[in-house]
């Protein structure tokens, strides 16, 4: 067992400007991730972290507000107080009003003081998408759109193809594609990256990774939380836009893509794009939408928005023809767990079928091999095999597992997705970020799905279940495989 994940290399000194720097995303995700990276030594004392705010905010008050969001990191840091104080010294607050432009010149003077050094200048737009375009234009106007600058945005990148294209154009009219970092935080998850290692750093899986050996693929992203405070955003979005257009399709791409020649940003994204373009247009029977029973009560009005969606996808190419990809995601489900399950084909012939051992045979000994990739929590991989029960008395077969638990193997905390992604923006590595054409291809696939899905109201489901029933597996000797509470640690 490794005592610790090796420390990551320090990042070149950079200026990290967070628009909306005192808002929810900044407090919950961005600053805690930066703090972890500071504790780990990846961010040095010459970094500058600039939080923009429309209203004056006192740094001491900001520090107190931020502190609870960094509680885990603080608990792990030796000499926590001293480290916190040093970290807060990297932070400054600039008053900037994106709409009127007030304060932008002052910020430019502050930032450009050290521009001769050509430090990376990163702008994280943690603001509403309607402000992405105006923010970029403002940066240009005050001379902050320079060659070393990068811009980071996050979903919702539009609510359909046309609006996504518009947002993209607004950003691209100021920054070039290699300066734009579109976050899908699922790509920063350790296990999601491990999917690429599993496939492309090993021989045994890749040679089986096709329609000769694989029967079907399932992807479950289950959450126990409801929509809570986000009800008004969510009701306009629904699971198809909120989770499928981005996170789930990205997972499908990583499972299905061809091996790129190099682990290079554009090559990886070229291959993912090919998967998106090969998705078979769906029919009504490939879609099931659900809504948890309390949803309308929480929202305070009637709604046909789905809080659950299940899809039967197909990929039209030689590798995947005939292999269904079943994907589902929902709120208020039985447990919080995300898994990808690769089910291999059943054995072509059973040489043990006529064994009359002492123990009655069960259908459990005829289960197919499955590779279960647990994305969260309890990250790891399990390979389900059929083995012989030890001892004399004939061939008694039973399902067993090879189990690689990341926790047991690495024994260290897995960094949050944002930590990896924020460091990649500073390093200038776009591999784990979505390219303009990928985002649009995902919308081009999802738009008609949303249109078709709207024709049937969502089925209600009870909280704590795995969503409404569907008939996806009616013609198959299989069913949804629900994640296990204890994934076999
Ligand atoms: C976000 C969605 O992108 O992902 C949320 O907007 C969802 O609705 C969240 O809860 C899930 O992320 P994670 O990392 O908790 O699986």
């Amino acid at each position: 067992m490794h005592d610790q994940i090796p420390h990551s290399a320090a990042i070149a000194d950079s200026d990290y400007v967070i628009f909306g720097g005192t808002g929810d995303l900044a407090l919950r995700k961005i600053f805690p991730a930066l703090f972890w990276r500071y504790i780990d030594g990846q961010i040095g004392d010459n970094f500058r972290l600039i939080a923009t705010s429309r209203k004056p905010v006192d740094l001491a008050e900001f520090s107190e507000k931020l502190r609870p969001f960094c509680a885990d990191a603080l608990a792990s840091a030796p000499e926590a107080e001293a480290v916190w104080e040093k970290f807060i010294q990297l932070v400054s607050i600039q008053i900037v009003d994106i709409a009127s432009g007030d304060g932008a010149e002052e910020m430019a003077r502050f930032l450009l003081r050290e521009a001769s050094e050509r430090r990376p200048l990163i702008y994280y737009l943690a603001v509403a998408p309607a402000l992405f375009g105006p923010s970029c234009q403002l940066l240009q106007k005050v001379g902050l759109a320079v060659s070393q600058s990068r811009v980071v945005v996050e979903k919702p990148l539009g609510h359909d193809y046309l609006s996504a294209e518009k947002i993209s154009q607004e950003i691209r009219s100021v920054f070039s594609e290699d300066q734009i970092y579109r976050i899908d935080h699922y790509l920063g998850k350790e296990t999601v990256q491990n999917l690429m290692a599993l496939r492309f750093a090993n021989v045994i899986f890749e040679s089986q990774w096709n329609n000769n050996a694989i029967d079907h693929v399932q992807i479950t992203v289950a959450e126990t939380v409801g929509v809570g405070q986000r009800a008004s955003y969510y009701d306009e979005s629904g699971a198809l836009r909120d989770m499928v257009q981005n996170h789930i399709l990205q997972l499908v791409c990583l499972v299905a893509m061809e091996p790129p020649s190099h682990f290079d940003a554009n090559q990886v994204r070229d291959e993912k794009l090919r998967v998106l373009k090969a998705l078979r247009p769906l029919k009504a029977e490939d879609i099931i939408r659900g809504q948890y029973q309390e949803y309308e009560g929480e929202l305070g009005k009637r709604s046909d928005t789905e809080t659950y969606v299940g899809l039967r996808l197909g990929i039209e190419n030689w590798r995947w023809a005939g292999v269904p990809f079943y994907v589902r995601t929902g709120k208020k489900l039985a447990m919080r767990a995300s898994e990808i399950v690769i089910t291999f084909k059943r054995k072509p012939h059973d040489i043990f079928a006529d064994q009359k051992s002492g123990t009655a045979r069960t259908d459990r000994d005829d289960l197919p091999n499955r590779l279960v990739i647990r994305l969260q929590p309890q990250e790891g991989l399990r390979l389900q095999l059929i083995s012989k029960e030890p001892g004399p008395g004939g061939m008694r077969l039973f399902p067993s597992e090879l189990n690689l638990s990341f926790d047991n193997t690495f024994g260290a905390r897995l960094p949050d997705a944002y930590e990896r992604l924020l460091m990649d923006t500073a390093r200038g590595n776009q591999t784990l970020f979505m390219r303009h054409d990928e985002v649009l291809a995902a919308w081009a696939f999802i738009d008609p799905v949303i249109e078709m899905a709207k024709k049937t109201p969502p089925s209600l489901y009870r909280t704590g279940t795995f969503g409404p029933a569907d008939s996806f597996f009616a013609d198959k000797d299989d069913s949804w495989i629900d994640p296990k509470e204890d994934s076999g640690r």
Side-chain angles (χ1 to χ4, degrees):
M1 177 170 126
H2 300 271
D3 285 343
Q4 234 189 346
I5 293 176
H7 277 225
S8 327
I11 302 276
D13 292 335
S14 310
D15 289 340
Y16 225 108
V17 185
I18 300 141
F19 281 76
T22 57
D24 190 52
L25 179 62
L27 291 172
R28 274 189 309 108
K29 293 288 183 186
I30 303 173
F31 275 105
L34 292 169
F35 184 48
W36 271 115
R37 295 297 87 216
Y38 181 69
I39 292 176
D40 204 28
Q42 212 171 1
I43 290 182
D45 288 325
N46 289 321
F47 252 73
R48 292 192 300 180
L49 310 176
I50 298 103
T52 82
S53 165
R54 254 186 321 153
K55 299 197 189 104
V57 177
D58 177 67
L59 186 59
E61 271 170 36
F62 176 72
S63 159
E64 283 318 299
K65 203 168 160 196
L66 177 61
R67 184 190 278 268
F69 294 95
C70 297
D72 290 351
L74 275 164
S76 85
E79 301 177 42
E81 275 317 304
V83 177
W84 179 251
E85 287 309 319
K86 282 176 75 184
F87 175 72
I88 290 297
Q89 278 172 26
L90 309 185
V91 182
S92 53
I93 295 174
Q94 292 281 326
I95 317 295
V96 179
D97 186 326
I98 299 167
S100 68
D102 291 350
E105 298 278 358
E106 287 82 338
M107 182 170 75
R109 277 197 290 280
F110 176 78
L111 287 171
L112 293 175
R113 264 204 326 244
E114 296 186 36
S116 56
E117 284 181 28
R118 297 219 147 226
R119 299 156 61 98
L121 258 175
I122 303 149
Y123 310 115
Y124 196 127
L125 307 184
V127 292
L131 294 176
F132 290 169
S135 306
C136 294
Q137 275 145 21
L138 188 59
L139 288 166
Q140 188 171 47
K141 188 168 156 217
V142 298
L144 283 173
V146 284
S147 59
Q148 74 268 33
S149 43
R150 294 163 199 161
V151 62
V152 186
V153 290
E154 197 171 346
K155 81 169 187 36
L157 298 172
H159 61 270
D160 59 11
Y161 184 96
L162 288 177
S163 53
E165 197 179 32
K166 180 167 177 286
I167 290 179
S168 198
Q169 266 167 6
E170 286 172 355
I171 303 173
R172 280 155 63 98
S173 69
V174 176
F175 293 102
S176 61
E177 185 62 33
D178 62 3
Q179 294 178 295
I180 306 172
Y181 290 71
R182 298 179 191 82
I183 287 194
D184 182 313
H185 79 280
Y186 266 56
L187 294 179
K189 290 185 191 272
E190 281 292 326
T191 0
V192 175
Q193 293 168 58
N194 225 312
L195 192 52
M196 284 189 274
L198 177 82
R199 288 195 55 200
F200 305 135
N202 296 288
V203 163
I204 51 173
F205 293 116
E206 195 49 29
S207 58
Q208 305 295 308
W209 213 259
N210 54 48
N211 53 8
N212 292 326
I214 292 178
D215 182 78
H216 72 272
V217 175
Q218 296 190 15
I219 300 179
T220 298
V221 176
E223 299 185 276
T224 48
V225 290
V227 296
Q229 305 286 320
R230 298 166 74 226
S232 59
Y233 150 77
Y234 194 90
D235 198 55
E236 293 295 309
S237 166
L240 278 162
R241 290 189 176 93
D242 185 52
M243 294 294 287
V244 180
Q245 186 273 341
N246 36 71
H247 310 323
I248 299 242
L249 287 185
Q250 286 292 321
L251 296 178
V252 170
C253 287
L254 293 178
V255 173
M257 70 195 256
E258 294 299 315
S261 158
H262 294 280
F263 189 52
D264 153 277
N266 275 329
Q267 288 204 17
V268 168
R269 296 183 300 176
D270 286 345
E271 295 304 341
K272 288 196 291 162
L273 180 65
R274 288 194 181 103
V275 175
L276 292 168
K277 289 189 167 172
L279 288 169
R280 169 177 62 79
L282 298 192
K283 303 196 180 101
E285 60 267 29
D286 298 320
I287 308 168
I288 171 109
R289 291 197 311 146
Q291 187 187 78
Y292 59 80
Q293 283 174 343
E294 304 82 7
Y295 180 75
E296 287 187 349
E298 284 175 15
L299 184 69
K301 61 172 185 175
R302 226 201 67 71
S303 168
D304 273 348
T305 298
E306 76 282 351
T307 59
Y308 171 98
V309 66
L311 302 176
R312 178 170 44 197
L313 305 176
I315 299 170
E316 295 180 317
N317 62 23
W318 273 47
R319 188 190 280 263
W320 295 114
V323 179
F325 278 60
Y326 303 98
V327 303
R328 60 177 172 169
T329 182
K331 305 270 184 208
K332 291 221 175 173
L333 298 186
M335 61 189 292
R336 176 174 183 264
S338 302
E339 273 186 0
I340 300 173
V341 182
I342 313 288
T343 298
F344 292 90
K345 290 200 162 146
R346 282 166 199 270
K347 54 188 174 294
H349 167 67
D350 185 2
I351 70 162
F352 303 110
D354 51 6
Q355 288 280 306
K356 296 277 180 256
S357 67
T359 313
R361 299 199 56 188
T362 68
D363 57 2
R364 290 189 347 127
D365 58 24
D366 195 31
L367 287 175
N369 296 130
R370 292 192 213 269
L371 177 67
V372 182
I373 302 158
R374 176 71 166 233
L375 304 180
Q376 63 187 23
Q378 300 167 9
E379 293 83 349
L381 298 172
R382 302 190 325 265
L383 181 61
Q384 298 181 357
L385 304 166
I386 299 293
S387 307
K388 176 192 171 296
E389 217 175 276
M395 287 297 283
R396 295 190 306 270
L397 303 177
F398 75 108
S400 56
E401 279 183 355
L402 290 179
N403 187 351
L404 171 67
S405 146
F406 288 5
D407 192 13
N408 293 344
T409 308
F410 299 109
R413 150 187 186 271
L414 293 180
D416 180 73
Y418 281 84
E419 294 175 50
R420 166 68 199 251
L421 296 175
L422 293 183
M423 293 304 92
D424 280 354
T425 61
R427 268 198 208 100
N429 181 352
Q430 290 186 303
T431 312
L432 300 178
F433 297 83
M434 292 179 300
R435 207 170 53 192
H436 158 75
D437 46 5
E438 264 185 278
V439 175
L440 292 186
W443 279 118
F445 173 73
I446 284 292
D447 277 358
V449 176
I450 293 174
E451 275 314 302
M452 195 178 328
K454 275 199 312 214
K455 292 182 186 150
T456 318
S459 316
L460 292 183
Y461 62 91
R462 274 189 301 119
T463 294
T465 63
F466 271 101
D470 58 58
S471 51
F472 289 167
F473 296 90
D475 57 349
K476 282 185 83 69
D477 184 14
D478 229 311
S479 61
W480 282 112
I481 298 150
D482 295 337
K484 289 196 275 184
E485 200 59 69
D486 170 6
S487 74
R489 273 218 257 197

